[in-house]
Amino acid sequence: QANESFAQGDFKAATQAFHDVIKLHPDIGELYINLGAVLKASGDILGAEHAYRDAIKKIPKSAIAWFNLGNLLRETKNGEEALKAYRKADKLQPGTPEILNNLGIQLYDLGAIDDALKHYDAALSFRPTFADAMTNRGNALQRLCRMDEAELSLRDALAVESMNPV
């Protein structure tokens, strides 16, 4: 019921349903991850952060919990803490393109452009057609004044996107 309410966009019902399930099964960390997603979608950022942190307490080796926490912290401009969360997720689940890409984004935001580029390249080594990583790579190359490479990366991203319309 909680997942169904969430899928239908009824965040209030989904939140209540997840709280009800958590009361019955307080040790299932994945429930807190799902609750965090609902709370974030509903605009309750602080509640979502608490839910992700509760998930990490229950399942500290969950890359998805660390990744979600990193995403939330990045969006709320807690850069250094987001970086730590992404690094933890990467350590727990190395080679995951989404984690590598978002780790690159956070490094870019903190001004570590060369390190960001390395993470975009790593993401692309695992998923060569990852358009978001190609775009981010192009932006990093542009910032490094490597314009020809930047243009190629951005053109590649556009080509991939045109083959996979939404």
Side-chain angles (χ1 to χ4, degrees):
Q1 182 184 3
N3 286 327
E4 186 176 318
S5 294
F6 184 30
Q8 293 174 353
D10 187 350
F11 303 134
K12 185 176 179 181
T15 299
Q16 185 58 53
F18 276 117
H19 280 297
D20 292 345
V21 174
I22 287 170
K23 284 179 190 171
L24 297 172
H25 305 284
D27 293 326
I28 299 177
E30 289 81 0
L31 294 172
Y32 297 89
I33 295 171
N34 292 343
L35 174 62
V38 170
L39 291 170
K40 182 180 174 198
S42 72
D44 183 355
I45 302 305
L46 186 58
E49 182 178 344
H50 287 302
Y52 292 141
R53 291 186 187 282
D54 286 343
I56 289 167
K57 288 177 190 169
K58 304 290 181 188
I59 44 175
K61 293 185 178 183
S62 169
I64 191 73
W66 285 103
F67 180 71
N68 285 348
L69 178 62
N71 288 339
L72 184 79
L73 292 169
R74 181 173 56 83
E75 291 172 18
T76 59
K77 308 297 184 214
N78 291 315
E80 291 297 332
E81 197 173 355
L83 184 62
K84 290 176 187 175
Y86 285 136
R87 287 193 177 177
K88 183 70 174 180
D90 184 46
K91 183 178 179 183
L92 291 167
Q93 195 170 309
T96 303
E98 292 80 8
I99 294 171
L100 291 165
N101 184 57
N102 286 23
L103 184 50
I105 292 169
Q106 189 56 50
L107 288 162
Y108 182 96
D109 288 348
L110 293 171
I113 310 305
D114 287 315
D115 287 340
L117 183 58
K118 290 175 189 172
H119 284 85
Y120 302 140
D121 287 340
L124 289 165
S125 75
F126 290 102
R127 187 181 310 146
T129 59
F130 190 4
D132 287 346
M134 289 175 185
T135 301
N136 293 331
R137 181 179 188 275
N139 291 336
L141 288 165
Q142 184 177 12
R143 211 46 208 275
L144 295 169
C145 297
R146 293 165 56 184
M147 299 307 187
D148 290 342
E149 292 172 88
E151 181 181 354
L152 285 173
S153 191
L154 294 169
R155 286 185 186 279
D156 287 346
L158 288 169
V160 167
E161 284 296 314
S162 70
M163 293 177 357
N164 300 315
V166 178

